[in-house]
Amino acid sequence: MYPPSAPLLAILLLTLSALTTSAEVDLDLKINADHSISLSSALYSIPSICSSFNYDDSTTADDPVSFNTCKDHEKYYKPRAHRVNAKTHVVHAPKDAKSIPTIRQTFHDHGTHVTLQVHVDSPNSFKTNEMKVIDDATMEVEGVDGKALLVPFDNDIISMYQSRDLDNHANNLLQMTSAYVAPFYSEETRSGVVIGSLEHTVWKTGIKFHAKTLRLKDGTFGVHKLDVIAGLNGLEETRDYIPHGWVSSREQSDKANHLASPAFFMGEFNDWRDGMELYANSQVKKNPEMPEGVDNVVGWNSWGVTQFGTTLENAVAASEAMKTLEDVGFEGSFIDFDAVNLSFEEQSKLVETTSENGQNAGVYAAPWSYFSDDLDATVMCGGETYTQRELVKKNLKGEPMKALDKRINVPSVTNYAYDPTHPGVLCMAIDYVEEALDAGMKLIKIDFINWGVMEGGSNSDGSHYEESVTTGMAAYNYGMEKIAEVIDNRMVISLSMAPTFPNHFAHARRIGCDQMYGGVEFTMNQLWGGWWQKEMLTLDPDLIVFNKNEIIDVPSVLKPFVNGFKMDSRSRVNKGVVHGGFYLAGDDMTNSTSVELTQKYLGNEEVNKVALLGEPFRAVSSPERIVVAPSVFELDSKKGGKYLAVFNYNPKSKNIRVDLAKTVVDGAKSYTDVWTGKKYDLVFVAEDAVEFQLRGASSLLMQFE
């Protein structure tokens, strides 16, 4: 259950209940003289809510015009509000109804939160590529030590979650962007406000803002220039080289002249972490249950060490190694090939081997990417022959677009993005999936699909092959849903490099970029900022590798530096444990040393039991700096038991202080080290505060009564 929160915008000018169970609060929504909406509550206030959108219809000039409910108030009559059941509508009716659209702001009270949506009704059919549900607002929030979490658009190119200090004057000048959703909260009390998109069918969405550090009331923090956007776009924001696609009223509504923004979630919470979990739970499209017979995804994946050189021999050796661990939690292991295209015969042989060992086989696909620079190469599918140039995405000038060329400068990277709506692309993807199903594969890892969401299509003008699809997000949904339809829940669908949303067609998603070795802090940053995705799908923290420290061989002169930041073997396991999701080894099991290390560190049944609870931990506090990870994570298991995990990412020993009053183990006097089974009394250094002494690059996994 979530703590009660004030329904933000349920009824005009009436008292609403209650941010907390101990006190009643008044929440007022008023219409100002400039037609903006003023909103205030016990926790926060927004003096002026305006909405805006780009507008292009048959009567406008070459350049689209923009309408804003506040700046263009002289073109509109004073807004009128009316309530229908749980929805409050604020209607801006134009004085010239023959040429100016009607704008309706709708606030839907769900009890725990409200959804805000903007509807546009035009005298003519029209299109837009940006709708701001909230445009250029200021928000003040009760509390001190204000923070904001910035969510990355996808998990590619070492993307990280950022903790931004809203009391920092520099952030008053810098625009910050969070994709999809942003929480604004007090680090001291954890109370805060969560704003985010609930729909990801057509639009790329996000929140832009600046910290407000001047002219604040005592005991408050805030943001200004707050934009809540459908149509987020840019190389930094969404990895796009061309503008967001245009959305047509004819294509997106039963009414030719009507268009609605995505619904945006708005809620205030005693604990912002609960708010983020409710946000995830409130998504319009829901994820499927795991395929029948699959409770946990444990086992081995080839990308850890053998990578492109993986052979069937490696996979068979991994199957045999993981079978030795089936009595301690690895029963029914998945043995997954990664980034290697197996023939049907090889797939069948792998399935035969794993089936004999009571296991499952998994395969890899990258349906929206082309890993070559030869655009004149041909491919046949479904009786048709296509050149690669026909299939890849193009910009508005018809030039093929590489997925990464303006983002990182690596000469060997020649990756192009496919148009997911092109029949040739879909034919290849579906043929591959059907072959894997026929071979008996039970898991498919789908990689680099974030390229499918790039703006641009395969036609010479940059439009998509499927004419009804006009945005990158719509194209991505179009292709992924067709793949999921073919799979029909017969395989676990695991997304690797992928946008955070949409994900409703998948069972699991990699929470961050590749991190299989000793750099555990990177993955813990992903858990800190992205744990709430557990409410939608299973988290994949990447592999657990013991006998390697970096993804590529580094010069010997750099090895001491790299090795200085590697965490110990237990910490690599603990990384997987606290994610409560995929639990996969990644060493080369033809190497006897690797097998011994895997059996030693993945052979602790009590540790594995915590991992197999299937419940991710969440951070107790925010990181001390922008892109690092906090040290302390907690779990109050629904299946019984309370846990803390403490990480020392520093290569030197460190005392890590924990305020137990801010954790789920408040009041505890002792704990059990899950790895050793030994019980220890807590030694308090202050009221409710204890310190754990950890050696360099190590961690502690504790269970409390």
Side-chain angles (χ1 to χ4, degrees), residues 143 555 657:
R657 188 180 180 115

Side-chain angles (χ1 to χ4, degrees), residues 233-253:
N233 180 259
L235 188 59
E236 293 294 325
E237 292 88 347
T238 59
R239 311 200 194 286
D240 283 312
Y241 308 141
I242 63 176
H244 193 286
W246 288 86
V247 181
S248 168
S249 60
R250 287 188 180 276
E251 300 294 343
Q252 299 301 323
S253 174

Side-chain angles (χ1 to χ4, degrees), residues 10 66 90 113 168 170-171 193 284 425-426 449 466 505 518 595:
S66 177
V90 179
H113 64 283
N168 187 327
N171 288 330
V193 178
V284 171
V425 173
L426 287 170
I449 48 177
E466 172 57 47
F505 33 71
V595 173

Side-chain angles (χ1 to χ4, degrees), residues 288-294 334 360-363 430 433-444 482-493 505 507:
E289 297 290 332
M290 279 285 190
E292 185 177 357
V294 178
F334 286 79
N360 306 283
V363 71
I430 290 171
V433 167
E434 288 178 337
E435 183 177 85
L437 287 166
D438 289 343
M441 292 291 172
K442 297 299 182 182
L443 180 147
I444 184 167
K482 287 190 179 296
I483 289 176
E485 183 180 352
V486 171
I487 292 174
D488 193 26
N489 219 40
R490 290 177 287 171
M491 286 194 289
V492 176
I493 299 177
F505 33 71
H507 304 98

Side-chain angles (χ1 to χ4, degrees), residues 191-357:
S191 62
V193 178
V194 176
I195 304 174
S197 175
L198 297 176
E199 298 179 83
H200 315 278
T201 304
V202 175
W203 295 96
K204 295 172 182 170
T205 58
I207 320 294
K208 291 188 176 186
F209 58 93
H210 295 243
K212 178 177 171 61
T213 58
L214 303 174
R215 294 188 292 277
L216 285 166
K217 297 177 184 177
D218 290 341
T220 66
F221 63 91
V223 296
H224 68 128
K225 298 182 179 179
L226 172 65
D227 292 338
V228 179
I229 305 168
L232 187 69
N233 180 259
L235 188 59
E236 293 294 325
E237 292 88 347
T238 59
R239 311 200 194 286
D240 283 312
Y241 308 141
I242 63 176
H244 193 286
W246 288 86
V247 181
S248 168
S249 60
R250 287 188 180 276
E251 300 294 343
Q252 299 301 323
S253 174
D254 294 335
K255 303 176 183 178
N257 301 342
H258 175 83
L259 190 63
S261 74
F264 280 85
F265 174 106
M266 297 176 64
E268 56 181 20
F269 301 89
N270 295 328
D271 189 327
W272 70 277
R273 301 175 302 170
D274 294 329
M276 290 295 288
E277 291 176 12
L278 180 59
Y279 162 75
N281 255 316
S282 301
Q283 293 298 311
V284 171
K285 293 190 176 182
K286 305 301 182 182
N287 299 70
E289 297 290 332
M290 279 285 190
E292 185 177 357
V294 178
D295 294 319
N296 302 96
V297 176
V298 300
W300 176 87
N301 179 284
S302 67
W303 188 243
V305 174
T306 54
Q307 298 186 350
F308 294 117
T310 305
T311 64
L312 194 57
E313 178 189 3
N314 296 120
V316 170
S319 176
E320 297 299 332
M322 301 315 295
K323 184 173 175 58
T324 67
L325 296 171
E326 63 182 4
D327 292 336
V328 293
F330 284 86
E331 184 178 3
S333 284
F334 286 79
I335 307 300
D336 308 329
F337 259 89
D338 194 312
V340 175
N341 290 324
L342 299 177
S343 68
F344 180 78
E345 291 74 19
E346 289 174 317
Q347 291 186 41
S348 300
K349 177 61 177 176
L350 178 59
V351 170
E352 180 183 340
T353 300
T354 54
S355 296
E356 290 173 354
N357 285 333

Side-chain angles (χ1 to χ4, degrees), residues 414-425:
T414 55
N415 308 320
Y416 288 91
Y418 280 142
D419 178 355
T421 75
H422 195 290
V425 173

Side-chain angles (χ1 to χ4, degrees), residues 38-114:
S38 171
L39 178 69
S40 62
S41 79
L43 181 64
Y44 74 95
S45 65
I46 305 177
S48 176
I49 294 178
C50 308
S51 299
S52 68
F53 59 95
N54 290 341
Y55 178 84
D56 188 359
D57 72 358
S58 58
T59 66
T60 58
D62 292 337
D63 294 328
V65 297
S66 177
F67 285 100
N68 184 297
T69 56
C70 302
K71 295 178 181 178
D72 295 313
H73 68 273
E74 293 181 354
K75 300 176 182 178
Y76 289 86
Y77 296 109
K78 185 175 179 62
R80 293 186 177 184
H82 64 279
R83 181 177 172 85
V84 180
N85 297 323
K87 294 182 179 180
T88 297
H89 304 279
V90 179
V91 180
H92 303 258
K95 296 176 181 178
D96 180 5
K98 293 183 179 180
S99 61
I100 296 177
T102 299
I103 306 170
R104 172 164 48 96
Q105 297 162 300
T106 298
F107 306 97
H108 187 181
D109 174 21
H110 296 267
T112 54
H113 64 283
V114 72

Side-chain angles (χ1 to χ4, degrees), residues 141 144-150 162-167 176 182-188 191-193 209 221-223 272 528 621-626:
V141 183
V144 296
D145 195 9
K147 302 281 187 183
L149 166 65
L150 303 189
Q162 297 183 36
S163 173
R164 288 301 185 94
D165 184 353
L166 297 179
D167 299 328
M176 292 169 275
F184 307 95
Y185 59 95
S186 165
E187 180 68 13
E188 181 178 89
S191 62
V193 178
F209 58 93
F221 63 91
V223 296
W272 70 277
W528 163 70
S621 61
S622 301
E624 296 177 356
R625 297 186 301 281
I626 292 176

